Amino acid sequence: MPPGGGQADPYRVWLSEVMLQQTTVAAVRAYFERFTALWPTVQDLAAADDAQVMAEWAGLGYYARARNLLACARAAAAMGGFPTTRDGLRALPGIGSYTSAAIAAIAHDAPETVVDGNVERVVARLFAVETPLPAAKPDLVALAETLTPATRPGDYAQAMMDLGATICTPRNPACGICPLIHDCDARAAGIAASLPRKVPKTPKPDRTGIAWVARHGGGVVFEERPAKGLLGGTLAFPSARWDGRDLPPPGNAEWRGIGQVRHVFSHFNLSMQVVVGDLDTAPDRGHLVPVDRIDRDALPGLMRKVWDMARAEIVA
DNA sequence: TTCCGGTATC
DNA sequence: GATACCGGAA
């Protein structure tokens, strides 16, 4: 990519930027060479066979990029070439906020502010922004815009991303060799390595539980969930543990496990053991619903899954 | 094993 | 605003 003056081929800039989304330079290089050899222009790529493009992309990951790549190439070819403005580029498939700014700045030397993950990190450190991501993103973009120069914005954008990729790295920033060491608020405060902060991605805990599908007299035991809390007020199979309650089964039976259903709640993942059995006596809680009157669609998703699994056994 | 990262989608 | 999509690196 020739530096300065917007001499770069928009097609090659676009192709490399799309490949570099979520992907390292080292991984991209061979793919870029291969693609540009096979399809030297956007018209060539637009005319390419879908299956061949997908095959050539194989191994790069995020295959939606490859599908969008073709859609974008065809759209650009149909309009006689790539748009030159950020907004025009932004409207094409697979080109978002970052890529549109990058192409405008690098291929056309437009004074757009290019903010990728590297730039977010560099700016958060330069200005010691302690607000966690992603909430800090608008602030970081606004701060980055104050830095974009009128001259050679494309080279500047690439330099900022290079700085983030090679010196201002996530874990151990090489502040000792950073050209901006005297401009960096975070370095001055001794907190560079801890920025940018991020909202702790609390992984959803895994919970387990048990649901009893209890038959008696041609019916199955249901009960209403407590009005408040998880699945509050809904119709449910008697169950325990997953919701913090440690209840016994709704009666005596020879229980046999038939499998587990998985369900994702907003704040945890559930693996529910499904057991079925024939009660010796009337259930000691809940009420019996005749099998042919069970309305699958009236059950919450979790219990629907339980019933779908149990029905084959029950109705047999 | 965890972290990292643009876009689309809902 | 959260999640899915993937592979590479720490």
Side-chain angles (χ1 to χ4, degrees):
Chain A
M1 228 64 67
Q7 308 156 57
D9 176 1
Y11 167 68
R12 294 169 70 92
V13 174
W14 161 74
L15 180 61
S16 62
E17 290 300 338
V18 171
M19 287 181 165
L20 286 165
Q21 291 166 6
Q22 319 300 301
T23 310
T24 59
V25 174
V28 162
R29 186 166 284 114
Y31 285 85
F32 180 79
E33 297 304 329
R34 179 88 179 144
F35 269 68
T36 51
L38 284 168
W39 303 294
T41 71
V42 69
Q43 287 80 14
D44 296 323
L45 183 56
D49 180 62
D50 291 52
Q52 190 188 1
V53 172
M54 295 306 291
E56 289 295 335
W57 192 275
L60 257 194
Y62 285 101
Y63 299 96
R65 291 184 296 168
R67 296 191 294 274
N68 283 333
L69 191 78
L70 259 177
C72 186
R74 287 167 181 162
M79 60 181 86
F82 283 94
T84 57
T85 67
R86 181 177 182 177
D87 287 345
L89 290 160
R90 176 78 180 74
L92 292 168
I95 298 183
S97 172
Y98 161 76
T99 307
S100 60
I103 297 171
I106 295 169
H108 304 290
D109 215 34
E112 301 288 357
T113 299
V114 183
V115 181
D116 71 346
N118 292 307
V119 176
E120 284 181 3
R121 185 169 56 254
V122 170
V123 171
R125 288 172 176 169
L126 278 176
F127 295 93
V129 175
E130 299 190 53
T131 311
L133 287 169
K137 176 97 192 245
D139 288 350
L140 295 176
V141 170
L143 289 168
E145 283 170 347
T146 69
L147 301 178
T148 301
T151 57
R152 296 172 64 189
D155 288 344
Y156 164 81
Q158 296 191 79
M160 284 288 276
M161 293 188 281
D162 272 359
L163 184 69
T166 61
I167 293 174
C168 197
T169 54
R171 298 204 211 309
N172 298 304
C175 298
I177 59 168
C178 180
L180 300 181
I181 185 169
H182 298 302
D183 302 300
C184 184
D185 292 348
R187 168 67 180 178
I191 58 173
S194 74
L195 299 183
R197 293 188 182 157
K198 303 202 170 174
V199 171
K201 38 189 80 168
T202 57
K204 290 188 183 187
D206 295 321
R207 293 194 199 174
T208 58
I210 185 167
W212 294 281
V213 180
R215 280 200 301 194
H216 188 70
V220 173
V221 178
F222 282 87
E223 64 182 2
E224 264 189 27
R225 301 276 309 160
K228 295 190 140 198
L230 287 166
L231 304 183
T234 64
L235 196 59
F237 296 100
S239 63
R241 297 215 271 278
W242 65 285
D243 55 358
R245 305 188 306 170
D246 197 9
L247 298 174
N252 195 48
E254 248 180 65
W255 301 107
R256 60 198 170 89
I258 62 169
Q260 14 229 328
V261 297
R262 296 184 307 109
H263 192 75
V264 178
F265 285 92
S266 58
H267 51 308
F268 64 93
N269 302 310
L270 173 62
S271 177
M272 180 87 94
Q273 170 80 2
V274 180
V275 301
V276 302
D278 294 294
L279 295 177
D280 300 339
T281 60
D284 43 29
R285 59 194 166 99
H287 58 276
L288 286 164
V289 176
V291 169
D292 58 8
R293 300 241 336 257
I294 293 173
D295 182 3
R296 178 187 179 282
D297 296 331
L299 301 172
L302 168 63
M303 298 301 166
R304 198 176 298 168
K305 292 175 187 173
V306 172
W307 176 237
D308 287 345
M309 175 173 285
R311 176 163 40 193
E313 306 277 331
I314 291 295
V315 176

